[in-house]
Amino acid sequence: MKNMCVAHRGFSGKAPENTLAAVRMAIALPFVRWMEIDVQLTKDGVPVVIHDFSLDRTTNGHGKVKNMDYEHVRRLDAGSWKGRAFRGERVPSLKEVLELASGRLRLNIELKTSGDMYPGLEQAVIDLVNSHGMRDEVVLTSFDAGALQRIKELDPRFRTGLIYDSRSGDPARKLKELDCSFLSISFDRLNPGLAKLLAGRGIRVMAWTVNKAKEMRRLAAMHSEIMICTNRPDIWGDTFLEA
């Protein structure tokens, strides 16, 4: 079985997304070898793992991540919205997630940024990953071409990936322009021709976010190398791991 399972924001179907609880639940499944997480910077420059630019949806806080100090963010409840069992779960720092995942999961770290929203984000992430000896265990991805270019300028040894969600354009050309070896693409944008073309060029393709067994099987039939990113790695297991 080559269509690897990627836990989207951890095991986010069962635990609050991008929390240590979600990471631990993903690690507990032996067939989960990859995890996707999102990283932003607090006002005082600490990389934290959270998807939205606002704190409102997944915490009991309000306002923009970039306007809050780390000490404020870490006191917020990032679990109660998912259920009482997760009350008190926190927004983790990237450092905490790296320490938990090291040697257990490879990471697709999405840099959530646009333009000059987060000066220093790329350097902060690179420094943390390198300090944990995990450069070969991660791919740094982003929608933002500037962020991907800055990563290559700061440390060209890092593998980078473009996140692509357009119905038009040429993702293969864009990948070449940005010197990326990884494509993160919405599963409904992917077709057999593109999958075959990219595989032939040594590009790893991750399709997101796939939560139904039918779509997982369709992608697997399309190409054996497509990575399947899902909120429900348990469904991936039920689909591909026959007793």
Side-chain angles (χ1 to χ4, degrees), residues 5-156:
C5 180
V6 184
H8 184 237
R9 307 177 194 169
F11 195 157
S12 57
K14 295 289 182 70
E17 64 181 60
N18 280 323
T19 62
L20 296 184
V23 175
R24 291 188 184 100
M25 287 182 71
I27 289 172
L29 297 173
F31 54 84
V32 176
R33 306 293 173 82
W34 276 85
M35 180 174 66
E36 186 269 354
I37 58 172
D38 308 281
V39 173
Q40 300 180 55
L41 276 187
T42 60
K43 185 178 180 180
D44 49 345
V46 178
V48 290
V49 179
I50 186 170
H51 176 270
D52 296 5
F53 293 129
S54 166
L55 295 163
D56 295 51
R57 180 176 66 87
T58 59
T59 80
N60 63 341
H62 303 284
K64 302 291 187 183
V65 175
K66 68 184 183 71
N67 295 333
M68 307 295 170
D69 290 336
Y70 175 61
E71 285 302 316
H72 173 78
V73 172
R74 71 188 295 268
R75 288 195 297 268
L76 299 175
D77 183 331
S80 290
W81 67 275
K82 192 73 172 180
R84 275 187 288 180
F86 298 106
R87 182 181 298 161
E89 198 67 34
R90 305 300 178 191
V91 175
S93 66
L94 176 60
K95 181 176 184 290
E96 289 175 304
V97 174
L98 292 177
E99 289 172 352
L100 193 53
S102 180
R104 299 181 177 94
L105 291 175
R106 293 179 179 269
L107 296 176
N108 172 352
I109 302 174
E110 178 181 347
L111 277 60
K112 300 290 294 186
T113 186
S114 179
D116 60 355
M117 176 182 288
Y118 287 124
L121 174 62
E122 297 84 10
Q123 187 70 70
V125 171
I126 284 171
D127 288 347
L128 270 176
V129 172
N130 279 334
S131 70
H132 286 78
M134 293 179 67
R135 187 179 65 245
D136 295 334
E137 298 173 48
V138 309
V139 57
L140 303 181
T141 63
S142 186
F143 281 102
D144 190 82
L148 297 173
Q149 290 168 332
R150 285 189 289 275
I151 292 164
K152 287 296 187 182
E153 290 167 1
L154 292 166
D155 193 335

Side-chain angles (χ1 to χ4, degrees), residues 171-212:
R173 178 180 59 81
K174 195 69 176 174
L175 288 164
K176 187 173 182 180
E177 288 176 0
L178 294 170
D179 192 23
C180 291
S181 59
F182 192 99
L183 176 68
S184 177
I185 187 169
S186 178
F187 78 92
D188 57 356
R189 305 285 192 268
L190 195 55
N191 60 69
L194 179 59
K196 183 178 180 181
L197 172 67
L198 295 175
R201 295 183 180 181
I203 303 293
R204 291 304 301 269
V205 176
M206 186 191 80
W208 49 267
T209 304
V210 193
N211 295 321
K212 294 181 179 179

Side-chain angles (χ1 to χ4, degrees), residues 154-169:
L154 292 166
D155 193 335
R157 298 172 297 177
F158 270 83
R159 184 162 46 143
T160 55
L162 175 67
I163 306 173
Y164 196 84
D165 193 27
S166 175
R167 291 189 178 276
S168 60

